[in-house]
Amino acid sequence: MGKLALAAKITHVPSMYLSELDGPAKGKRQPAIDGHLEIGRRCREAGVDTIVVFDTHWLVNAGYHINCAPHFEGLYTSNELPHFIANMTYAYDGNPELGRILADGANAHGITTMAHAATSLALEYGTLVPMRYMNADRHFKVVSVSALCTSHYLADSAKLGWAFRRAVEDHYEGTVAFFASGSLSHRFAQNGTADEYRDRMFSPFLERLDHEVIQMWEHGEWPDFCDMLPEYASKGHGEGFMHDTAMLLGALGWNHYDRGVEVVTPFFPSSGTGQINAIFPVAPMPSAIDDIGRPRAAALAGGRL
């Protein structure tokens, strides 16, 4: 029935918005913006009607949650970085039907998930920033999924992604894209040093770690990467504990995934963190949820299995 046509790991750094404005940051994030424009173009080419964003700026402490209101509109200022994103206008259409289908699919496989259609929940900037560049004309409907998960296992997030893909293919009459909106390593510059680290990584270790991970992705080393994801999330200060990445890989087959990624925007540092836009070619998925199991390592603080 339905189809997952495009999957990607995307940046949402707020300096992309600053890059539009007159000032010292003007134009600095144009490659990231161009990457978003290219991913949006490919979504249009693939016939995508709805973009589902796994948003690492939506914090939840229990369950998984889907913001599938019929319409989103407002004036957004980031509570985290109000000097970066201030009074940014937005207006997008949601997809309550798809939100309910995704939640039903996840709950049917034992992953407690709630769809919020009649809600005053606003979108977070992990969704708003990419939609600003991919969806300025409201061509796509938008569904946002909580991915800053404080008390969740990464394996459950992978199963959530699997269940979402199955729900789309079995019950949705349409074509979707799944985006993991979050960074690679995510150790911000220490307070007082932000300007110094605007275009630098926090440490050589994290920069080297991120480059090694990207190389694994390009070479399709998914069994090894899935096995190391909890430790990478912990030692790399993973944004949202990297639940967005687990969700995306679950939707693609987890450690059974066998494709190499296409880097659209090459790795770049931002305020100490590592960023990228990369397309994950969609491949067939395991037919049973049991194929997505917990890796062998013990649970790590901040990166639970």
Side-chain angles (χ1 to χ4, degrees):
M1 294 176 69
K3 180 182 179 182
L4 174 63
L6 195 143
K9 173 81 171 178
I10 59 171
T11 183
H12 59 237
V13 287
S15 54
M16 293 170 70
Y17 182 63
L18 281 183
S19 186
E20 299 178 36
L21 308 178
D22 289 336
K26 188 174 180 67
K28 282 190 176 259
R29 293 288 178 257
Q30 193 60 47
I33 292 171
D34 290 344
H36 280 194
L37 293 172
E38 174 62 16
I39 292 170
R41 185 193 68 78
R42 295 203 199 182
C43 284
R44 292 165 195 256
E45 192 176 69
V48 168
D49 60 73
T50 303
I51 291 174
V52 179
V53 182
F54 305 139
D55 190 331
T56 54
H57 278 265
W58 182 1
L59 184 153
V60 292
N61 294 321
Y64 292 95
H65 298 268
I66 300 168
N67 189 347
C68 56
H71 184 69
F72 307 103
E73 187 167 2
L75 194 65
Y76 179 82
T77 297
S78 167
N79 64 313
E80 297 176 46
L81 294 161
H83 56 308
F84 275 53
I85 304 181
N87 300 317
M88 184 176 74
T89 59
Y90 66 91
Y92 307 109
D93 299 307
N95 192 332
E97 176 197 8
L98 177 58
R100 286 190 290 268
I101 288 170
L102 295 175
D104 288 347
N107 286 315
H109 291 284
I111 308 297
T112 302
T113 306
M114 285 162 270
H116 304 274
T119 180
S120 60
L121 276 168
L123 295 175
E124 300 295 336
Y125 83 70
T127 300
L128 290 173
V129 168
M131 288 305 98
R132 181 173 181 84
Y133 305 109
M134 298 181 193
N135 197 26
D137 61 355
R138 294 163 65 171
H139 178 85
F140 306 111
K141 296 178 180 179
V142 181
V143 170
S144 187
V145 178
S146 58
L148 203 179
C149 303
T150 65
S151 307
H152 305 60
Y153 291 112
L154 284 169
D156 288 341
S157 292
K159 290 177 183 178
L160 181 85
W162 181 95
F164 278 2
R165 168 102 178 258
R166 184 60 60 216
V168 166
E169 293 179 344
D170 292 347
H171 301 292
Y172 183 60
E173 295 285 350
T175 303
V176 305
F178 286 171
F179 294 159
S181 181
S183 72
L184 294 165
S185 66
H186 199 69
R187 176 56 165 91
F188 270 102
Q190 202 67 26
N191 185 46
T193 66
D195 289 343
E196 180 186 349
Y197 282 89
R198 186 71 61 90
D199 299 300
R200 290 174 54 198
M201 292 293 293
F202 180 78
S203 77
F205 167 74
L206 293 175
E207 185 164 12
R208 181 64 177 266
L209 181 61
D210 284 348
H211 280 293
E212 291 289 337
V213 162
I214 293 166
Q215 193 169 62
M216 293 176 75
W217 288 5
E218 290 178 317
H219 294 164
E221 298 174 24
W222 300 111
D224 288 344
F225 178 74
C226 290
D227 197 43
M228 69 179 263
L229 178 56
E231 194 167 9
Y232 178 44
S234 177
K235 293 180 178 177
H237 306 267
E239 186 169 17
F241 309 118
M242 301 206 84
H243 283 275
D244 65 319
T245 304
M247 292 172 187
L248 187 73
L249 285 172
L252 295 169
W254 191 235
N255 54 10
H256 296 268
Y257 186 49
D258 60 359
R259 307 291 171 88
V261 305
E262 176 190 353
V263 174
V264 178
T265 303
F267 175 88
F268 66 96
S270 180
S271 300
T273 71
Q275 304 293 329
I276 198 170
N277 286 318
I279 291 175
F280 287 53
V282 177
M285 195 175 60
S287 59
I289 199 166
D290 290 341
D291 287 336
I292 300 175
R294 296 188 180 184
R296 60 177 173 76
L300 295 165
R304 296 176 181 83
L305 300 177

